[in-house]
């Protein structure tokens, strides 16, 4: 491969990385339907049950089931990922396991903007 091909490859990588930052930030503003959010709650709970070895150590199964069901009942309108985070985080915190956490959805910053 010649240096011209490396330059083209580098340019394409740079172009797609900038677009992915922009696309990610745009998705943070989009509201998700209540149905989709409820599916996400179910998915999160099933993954937690599948992967957490001592899930009911600090909270009973009955209480945790109730909290997840109650959460789904409160989702009646479209929410942004950040709004959804603030609804789901307290339920996850009730598990009281230090290694289990959610990351807050945030904007990504492009390398160009970081340098600025």
């Amino acid at each position: 491969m010649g240096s011209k091909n490396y330059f083209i490859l580098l340019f394409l990588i740079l172009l797609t990385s900038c677009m992915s930052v922009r696309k990610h930030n745009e998705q943070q503003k989009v509201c998700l339907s209540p149905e989709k959010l409820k599916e996400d709650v179910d998915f999160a709970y099933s993954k937690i049950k599948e992967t957490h070895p001592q899930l009911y150590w600090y909270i009973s199964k009955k209480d945790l089931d109730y909290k997840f069901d109650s959460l789904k009942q409160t989702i009646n309108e479209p929410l942004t990922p950040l709004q959804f985070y603030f609804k789901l985080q307290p339920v996850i915190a009730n598990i009281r396991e230090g290694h289990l956490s959610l990351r807050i959805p945030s904007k990504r910053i492009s390398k160009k903007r970081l340098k600025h």
Side-chain angles (χ1 to χ4, degrees):
M1 247 185 171
S3 62
K4 183 178 180 179
N5 289 339
Y6 283 122
F7 176 74
I8 291 171
L9 182 62
L10 181 62
F11 177 74
L12 288 174
I13 290 171
L14 179 64
L15 181 65
T16 57
S17 69
C18 291
M19 292 177 84
S20 66
V21 169
R22 186 177 312 124
K23 187 175 180 179
H24 172 81
N25 290 340
E26 291 291 322
Q27 289 176 341
Q28 296 303 314
K29 299 174 189 174
V30 174
C31 288
L32 302 168
S33 71
E35 295 79 22
K36 173 69 173 122
L37 294 170
K38 290 176 183 180
E39 287 175 17
D40 288 348
V41 170
D42 288 337
F43 178 78
Y45 193 26
S46 70
K47 283 298 177 184
I48 289 169
K49 288 191 282 190
E50 180 182 312
T51 59
H52 200 288
Q54 299 292 331
L55 182 59
Y56 307 112
W57 193 315
Y58 296 106
I59 187 168
S60 70
K61 180 181 183 333
K62 179 182 173 186
D63 288 345
L64 193 56
D65 286 347
Y66 177 79
K67 289 186 182 293
F68 272 97
D69 288 339
S70 296
L71 169 62
K72 287 174 33 179
Q73 296 299 318
T74 68
I75 300 173
N76 300 317
E77 60 188 17
L79 301 172
T80 65
L82 185 62
Q83 291 169 321
F84 180 59
Y85 166 84
F86 283 114
K87 283 191 169 278
L88 182 58
Q89 174 56 28
V91 176
I92 300 296
N94 280 300
I95 297 171
R96 296 183 1 196
E97 205 285 321
H99 296 103
L100 182 63
S101 65
L102 292 177
R103 286 193 300 165
I104 192 165
S106 61
K107 280 187 162 183
R108 288 187 183 162
I109 300 172
S110 66
K111 291 180 184 180
K112 181 179 177 182
R113 182 142 178 130
L114 264 175
K115 287 181 182 179
H116 180 55

